[in-house]
Amino acid sequence: MQFNIINIPKLKSTNSYAQELIESGDLHEGDVISTQYQKNGRGQGDNFWESEHGSNLLVSIILEPSMVPAQRQFVLTQIVSLALVDLIKEYILTEEVKIKWPNDIYVNKNKIAGILFQNFVKGNHIEFSIAGIGINVNQKKYYSEVPNPISIIHHSNSPTNLKVLLDKLLDKIGFNYETYRLKENFEELKSKYVINLYRYNEWATYSDGNNPFQGKIFDIDEFGRLEVMMKSGEEKKFMFKEIEFVE
Ligand code: BTN
C-alpha cells in the first residue's frame, strides 16, 4: 500500500481537517495528514487530546476500505491497534504493551496511544475511514485531566525520531490492511487482538455504571463487543461505554 504524507505544521485537529477534505473530494486512500501541533486535538467522546508542540505523533490516515462490510467495521480497529502494539513493542522492550479495549494502547497501567476512528458508511460498506492516531513519544509532562499518560521517552534513554516512527507505523498498518484485503483473515485478527487485550483472562474489577463487579475478559464478538465472564459463570457482552475498567 502506498502512503502519501501531507504535513501541515499546525492544525485544529488532523481528523477534522481530513474530514473536511474528504467531504470536498480531495483526499483518498493512503493519504496521511500529519501535524506537529493541534489546537483542538480530539479524543474519544468530548475528550481533548493533549500534545505539546513537536513532541508526539499526530496523524490521520485515510482509508477507503470498500472490502469491509459495515457491520464488520471493528476489523479496522483490530488492524490499527495491532499495528500500534507491534510498533510500541519495538521501542519499549521490557514492559507489557496491551490494547485496552476497544482501542487504547497501554504500557503496563498507563496510556501511551489512542485512536479516534471516523467511519463513513454507504449502503453495506465503508466508503471512507479516518484513523486518527496519537502516540505519546517525547513529551515528558502532561498537564490536562488525562488520568494516566505515559510516553515512549519514559522508557527509553533518548528521544525518538518521529519520522522514522511514522514510517514504521505506516508499514505495519499497510501490511495488516493488505493481508486482510487478500485473505479476509477475520479469525486471525480477532485472536491476535484478543490475546493482546489488557486484562485478558484475568479476574478484575469492572463497573457497568452502577455496580462494581468481578469479571474476566474472555473474547470479543464480530461487532467488537467485549465478552466478560462473571463470577457466577454468566457471560455478558458490553458495547463501548457500557463497561468501565475500575483500577
Ligand atoms: C483517544 O484515546 O481518546 C483517542 C485519541 C486520538 C488522538 C488523535 S491525535 C491525531 C488525531 N486527530 C485528532 O484530533 N485526534 C486523533
Side-chain angles (χ1 to χ4, degrees):
M1 180 174 189
Q2 284 283 92
F3 289 102
N4 167 38
I5 301 170
I6 303 161
N7 189 68
I8 298 170
K10 205 169 170 181
L11 280 174
K12 246 172 39 193
S13 147
T14 56
N15 268 45
S16 307
Y17 184 70
Q19 186 172 354
E20 281 166 27
L21 293 196
I22 285 175
E23 281 162 5
S24 57
D26 291 328
L27 282 186
H28 292 286
E29 170 133 299
D31 287 338
V32 177
I33 306 293
S34 131
T35 195
Q36 284 62 58
Y37 183 71
Q38 301 185 121
K39 268 209 305 241
N40 188 20
R42 291 161 55 196
Q44 296 285 347
D46 291 332
N47 295 343
F48 169 70
W49 185 255
E50 175 183 344
S51 180
E52 74 188 12
H53 186 269
S55 293
N56 300 318
L57 193 98
L58 304 166
V59 291
S60 292
I61 302 170
I62 289 63
L63 301 171
E64 293 183 59
S66 53
M67 71 291 193
V68 178
Q71 74 275 20
R72 301 301 292 266
Q73 52 192 284
F74 197 73
V75 84
L76 295 172
T77 298
Q78 293 170 346
I79 286 171
V80 174
S81 1
L82 286 170
L84 276 168
V85 166
D86 215 26
L87 175 75
I88 291 163
K89 279 186 174 166
E90 281 188 22
Y91 287 83
I92 303 181
L93 303 173
T94 55
E95 310 297 319
E96 263 206 348
V97 183
K98 297 278 179 189
I99 303 161
K100 183 174 174 203
W101 179 86
N103 54 14
D104 288 344
I105 309 301
Y106 266 49
V107 172
N108 302 325
K109 293 186 168 185
N110 298 89
K111 180 162 168 174
I112 196 154
I115 312 170
L116 180 64
F117 260 107
Q118 289 177 261
N119 292 335
F120 301 86
V121 174
K122 194 174 184 187
N124 293 329
H125 286 269
I126 301 170
E127 193 180 21
F128 277 100
S129 177
I130 304 174
I133 300 170
I135 309 180
N136 298 335
V137 185
N138 295 321
Q139 180 166 343
K140 290 189 173 149
K141 266 190 139 191
Y142 290 85
Y143 300 93
S144 57
E145 302 284 288
V146 199
N148 51 356
I150 201 160
S151 301
I152 294 179
I153 191 96
H154 294 124
H155 287 286
S156 68
N157 302 322
S158 50
T160 294
N161 181 311
L162 294 174
K163 177 69 175 87
V164 174
L165 184 79
L166 175 57
D167 287 342
K168 287 186 184 202
L169 173 68
L170 296 177
D171 267 3
K172 289 180 192 300
I173 292 178
F175 179 81
N176 288 352
Y177 187 70
E178 288 305 335
T179 306
Y180 169 75
R181 194 204 297 279
L182 285 172
K183 302 207 285 195
E184 299 207 339
N185 53 342
F186 283 114
E187 279 308 315
E188 187 194 2
L189 278 169
K190 184 179 110 151
S191 52
K192 275 196 190 154
Y193 176 88
V194 169
I195 57 172
N196 276 290
L197 281 177
Y198 175 68
R199 289 186 173 173
Y200 168 64
N201 214 11
E202 279 172 28
W203 289 108
T205 311
Y206 298 92
S207 166
D208 60 5
N210 307 312
N211 310 303
F213 61 88
Q214 289 289 302
K216 184 154 82 172
I217 296 173
F218 69 94
D219 209 350
I220 56 160
D221 70 8
E222 70 264 41
F223 307 110
R225 288 182 297 191
L226 191 67
E227 299 194 74
V228 181
M229 163 95 70
M230 307 290 127
K231 281 277 180 186
S232 62
E234 187 194 353
E235 296 175 1
K236 282 195 176 173
K237 291 188 184 193
F238 297 91
M239 304 265 281
F240 186 49
K241 297 280 184 207
E242 286 179 352
I243 182 168
E244 213 182 293
F245 289 61
V246 178
E247 292 307 324

